[in-house]
Amino acid sequence: MSAVTVSDQHAASTKAKTIQPAWVRALHWTNAFAMVLMIMSGWQIYNASPLFGFTFPRSITLGGWLAGGLLWHFAAMWLLMVNGLIYLVMGFVTGRFRKKLLPITPEGVISDTKAALTGKLSHDDLSKYNYVQKLLYAGIIVVGILIVLSGLALWKPVQLQYLAALFGGYEGARYVHFFCMAAIVAFMVVHVALALLVPKSLRAMIIGR
Amino acid sequence: MGRMRKLLIPGVDKALLVRDAVKSMPDLTRRRFISGGASLGALTLLTGCDVTDSFSAEEMLKQVSKFNDGVQALMFNPNAMAPTFPESAITKPFPFNAYYNLDEAPEVDGKTWKLEVRGLVENKKSWTLDELYQLPQVKQVTRHICVEGWSAIGSWTGTPLRDFLKLIGADTRAKYVWFQCADKDGYNSPLDMPSAMHAQTQMTFKFGDEILPRAYGFPMKIRVPTKLGFKNPKYVISMEVTNDYKGGFWEDQGYNSFSGS
């Protein structure tokens, strides 16, 4: 019991310095792992019947062939969905979404975009997101919800046909699912690049401070 | 399936090549899992999870797939009808799709063909095509969704399978209706009883008001609008009502067995 007391005191004294709480870090890396599995196996599935005039190189797909890709996709989806649901619930319950992501004002986004493009955007306080970050993080949460819903519509276009109808039916859901994937991949490229440019943000997401 | 045709090499005996390819597939699956795992090398370092261990990864995926069978069976609503479409929505031409070319599709003689009925049924008599044609038929325009991702809308006319199962005194408490087909390598597929009893599941004899063409499974196809395409067997020669899971052509190669839509 004494160990618990000590760690509680320790937590209290360092609380002010904690940028990313443990639950955010755990869910973030679980999500990263699930996302990579979903995207790579999803590319394998896409290749079986491409929507556009290209396929993804074999080396960046997962599963080896269609059946393997499907097995990975329909396994990792549970991890992605459960992890995502916990994130949404925690985000609302703890007030993190409200505190971190709101408000998002057009003026703020424009001025912060200008500052970023001229290299003048400050990263001194990592606990506060700038307006561009707020917009992108809120946006990617919405895309995340959309990709799961369109994915469910593709998985069960008969049992969940009202959901599928929201996306314009089975074929419509295929396009929504694809463009959500493209948005997430684009986000990941920028997100990873910026995290590498500001290493302390990566450290905060690993050890919390 | 569709992609396999592109792999065929001119001058090589296609029939032999396809047979060899199909035979080697389960093994290939395994090796491909390993390569899939290997490309996750960076991820392995990141998480400490040994995803390159193909056997545990493969075993895990199989277990999750079985779990997904159960989830889909729970999600299956026998009263939910697959969406139907106007005739104007029918895809023309409706695609031919198989693991072989159209010229290698089974050529069944409708005069000598008989549907064999086996397993947990009271009346095990075989049915000629003429006898089956006498049964009441219904038409439905529904979407066929392939496991590959493409879809096409077709017009299917035939006898609801549940009416036929009732007629032959099938034990509908059994778990599966297992179909065998005339495809050259033998095609078979188990259909779970709730899906077999669905109002839209049909013994199909006509496509677009014409006798079912060879491309779509003459003389009889099982059309299951609540399932992916590979769960819709063509060129059916027998059906068996059974409690045993007997596997299936694509199911044995790793495709999810329930594969509901």
Side-chain angles (χ1 to χ4, degrees):
Chain A
M1 287 304 284
S2 62
V4 174
T5 317
V6 170
S7 70
D8 279 353
Q9 284 165 352
H10 181 69
S13 65
T14 58
K15 203 176 178 183
K17 281 194 272 177
T18 301
I19 298 164
Q20 306 291 3
W23 69 266
V24 169
R25 286 177 276 143
L27 294 175
H28 172 270
W29 292 112
T30 305
N31 182 61
F33 176 68
M35 275 287 183
V36 169
L37 290 183
M38 288 303 276
I39 291 168
M40 290 174 67
S41 58
W43 288 344
Q44 181 79 56
I45 298 166
Y46 167 94
N47 282 356
S49 181
L51 278 175
F52 304 101
F54 68 90
T55 55
F56 294 95
R58 244 194 91 107
S59 55
I60 55 167
T61 64
L62 174 64
W65 70 307
L66 177 57
L70 288 163
L71 286 175
W72 279 105
H73 210 66
F74 292 143
M77 73 173 183
W78 294 110
L79 188 59
L80 186 85
M81 277 201 299
V82 170
N83 193 68
L85 276 176
I86 296 173
Y87 176 71
L88 288 180
V89 169
M90 289 294 284
F92 284 113
V93 168
T94 62
R96 182 182 167 88
F97 287 163
R98 183 171 40 80
K99 279 182 272 180
K100 290 274 191 177
L101 303 177
L102 294 179
I104 303 172
T105 62
E107 301 82 36
V109 172
I110 291 166
S111 68
D112 278 353
T113 305
K114 276 184 192 158
L117 292 175
T118 51
K120 286 176 194 154
L121 199 59
S122 168
H123 293 288
D124 290 343
D125 186 359
L126 287 175
S127 65
K128 275 193 173 170
Y129 292 149
N130 64 58
Y131 282 99
V132 178
Q133 280 179 304
K134 285 181 181 185
L135 181 71
L136 287 179
Y137 292 152
I140 209 66
I141 291 169
V142 173
V143 173
I145 293 168
L146 274 179
I147 204 165
V148 169
L149 291 180
S150 59
L152 286 170
L154 289 176
W155 187 44
K156 293 281 154 270
V158 173
Q159 302 305 331
L160 305 175
Q161 55 188 285
Y162 298 105
L163 179 64
L166 284 180
F167 296 108
Y170 177 80
E171 287 294 332
R174 287 185 80 194
Y175 285 93
V176 173
H177 204 60
F178 180 90
F179 287 118
C180 286
M181 177 278 294
I184 289 169
V185 170
F187 172 85
M188 280 169 77
V189 169
V190 175
H191 184 65
V192 171
L194 291 178
L196 294 176
L197 283 173
V198 188
K200 58 183 178 175
S201 69
L202 184 61
R203 193 191 65 175
M205 194 48 92
I206 297 170
I207 63 167
R209 284 169 284 127
Chain B
M1 289 174 280
R3 296 186 68 206
M4 289 197 57
R5 263 173 280 154
K6 291 176 201 148
L7 298 174
L8 294 177
I9 305 155
V12 173
D13 186 317
K14 287 178 190 171
L16 283 175
L17 193 65
V18 170
R19 200 181 309 155
D20 286 354
V22 165
K23 271 186 192 150
S24 67
M25 239 181 225
D27 181 47
L28 209 57
T29 318
R30 173 159 299 170
R31 279 189 277 123
R32 280 166 166 178
F33 275 136
I34 298 171
S35 68
S39 64
L40 277 170
L43 219 59
T44 309
L45 290 172
L46 203 66
T47 60
C49 295
D50 192 2
V51 286
T52 58
D53 182 343
S54 72
F55 291 100
S56 67
E58 206 176 323
E59 200 44 49
M60 179 274 291
L61 291 173
K62 273 187 200 160
Q63 292 304 321
V64 177
S65 192
K66 269 187 201 162
F67 168 75
N68 284 344
D69 282 336
V71 172
Q72 292 177 89
L74 277 177
M75 282 178 80
F76 180 78
N77 175 2
N79 301 314
M81 295 297 125
T84 54
F85 301 85
E87 304 231 349
S88 58
I90 293 170
T91 307
K92 284 172 187 167
F94 191 87
F96 165 78
N97 192 252
Y99 55 90
Y100 42 75
N101 288 316
L102 178 54
D103 59 15
E104 292 158 311
E107 275 186 279
V108 177
D109 181 354
K111 290 193 183 72
T112 55
W113 176 88
K114 276 189 176 184
L115 174 69
E116 199 189 318
V117 174
R118 288 182 278 124
L120 305 169
V121 294
E122 282 164 18
N123 188 351
K124 292 191 174 71
K125 119 185 181 64
S126 293
W127 291 69
T128 66
L129 200 47
D130 281 338
E131 287 169 330
L132 289 172
Y133 282 166
Q134 303 303 314
L135 300 172
Q137 298 190 15
V138 288
K139 177 156 95 174
Q140 62 202 22
V141 179
T142 51
R143 186 187 292 278
H144 168 111
I145 295 171
C146 181
V147 67
E148 292 175 330
W150 57 267
S151 76
I153 295 170
S155 162
W156 314 95
T157 304
T159 301
L161 179 61
R162 67 177 184 187
D163 293 351
F164 184 74
L165 290 172
K166 211 176 285 174
L167 190 67
I168 61 174
D171 180 0
T172 54
R173 293 164 305 174
K175 285 183 184 155
Y176 305 99
V177 183
W178 189 61
F179 297 98
Q180 282 185 297
C181 307
D183 303 61
K184 54 188 179 160
D185 301 295
Y187 191 99
N188 49 60
S189 186
L191 186 63
D192 56 284
M193 189 58 80
S195 298
M197 295 296 284
H198 187 269
Q200 287 171 311
T201 301
Q202 188 187 74
M203 297 163 75
T204 299
F205 304 115
K206 282 181 181 172
F207 179 84
D209 301 324
E210 312 254 314
I211 293 292
L212 198 65
R214 180 178 163 213
Y216 308 144
F218 179 82
M220 187 178 92
K221 172 194 175 80
I222 304 296
R223 172 75 190 125
V224 195
T226 54
K227 293 277 192 205
L228 294 180
F230 77 94
K231 301 293 288 188
N232 291 230
K234 300 179 283 189
Y235 319 103
V236 176
I237 51 177
S238 81
M239 68 168 75
E240 179 175 345
V241 177
T242 176
N243 278 311
D244 301 327
Y245 178 75
K246 291 171 188 274
F249 183 85
W250 288 117
E251 291 85 343
D252 294 349
Q253 291 165 48
Y255 287 97
N256 177 264
S257 185
F258 195 89
S259 284
S261 67

